[in-house]
Amino acid sequence: MKKKVFILPLFLAAIFYGQTGRVGINTTDPQRTLDVNGNLRIRTLDNKDGNNAYNRILIGDSAGNIDYVPIERFNVDLPSISTIRYVTGTVSVPPAKDINTSSITIGDVSFRYRSREVCTSSIPIVGCTSSYVGGRLQFRFNNTSGLGTYWTSATEVLGNGGKYDRYQAGTTIGVSPVIANDTIGWTEIDYDYNPNQRDVGTVNLILHATNDIYRISMIMNSSLPAVPNLNINQENAKIVFFIERLSDNN
């Protein structure tokens, strides 16, 4: 009998709340479908970045009512499936010509610097009479299918020698990473850098086969002496790479 008396009030309460269509937590007078008189904690939320169907922003008033407004009201761009990834790296400036630095890979492309002799003056027939050891940026398109691609680049270089811009375009083969080595598949962007002038260069490169855009920033210097009174150590000749990739893929 005690068991029946205990169950009956719960049953009647369930009918009562079902009739009002409202549920209250810590309140006997719910004003909306769910009325919580207290704090709210949600332990798990799904990441909807890139899903344009999620275009509402939740807002609340001083009474605790929660509703939404369209995201366009706040002039906020909708999420995009495009992603930006980046990688950094530092390599030593080669001490002589025709030397490759170690490569840096991001996405489907590897980048490196190759030193070369750059002629600053020449005499016909005799050849170069004055030169320095500079270098050029090279890239390789890595893919297992051997797919080649058109490419387009825009280069801007700043340094003691001034400011220079150059537009280039061409084609390159695709090389499987399994068989790739230091001689196969590398394409050179035709612009010379001079570490002795502490050149700073930026290259915007697009591979038309994938529509990925790469921005390669290079900051270079020759050997810099120590400054003891400022507690600055000697800096070896180096190139700092900062490479960004904009892609519709991961």
Side-chain angles (χ1 to χ4, degrees), residues 198-243:
R198 301 176 72 172
D199 281 350
V200 177
T202 301
V203 179
N204 292 300
L205 173 69
I206 180 171
L207 301 184
H208 296 268
T210 61
N211 288 327
D212 290 347
I213 299 174
Y214 295 84
R215 181 166 61 184
I216 308 98
S217 300
M218 295 186 295
I219 302 173
M220 56 187 64
N221 62 265
S222 58
S223 179
L224 301 175
V227 185
N229 63 312
L230 296 179
N231 198 26
I232 297 177
N233 297 324
Q234 177 182 328
E235 286 282 350
N236 295 325
K238 65 183 179 183
I239 305 169
V240 178
F241 282 90
F242 182 78
I243 305 172

Side-chain angles (χ1 to χ4, degrees), residues 31 57 78 94 112 116 138 179 217 227:
Q31 299 299 305
I57 296 178
L78 293 176
R112 73 182 184 188
R116 65 188 297 269
Q138 295 183 334
I179 63 173
S217 300
V227 185

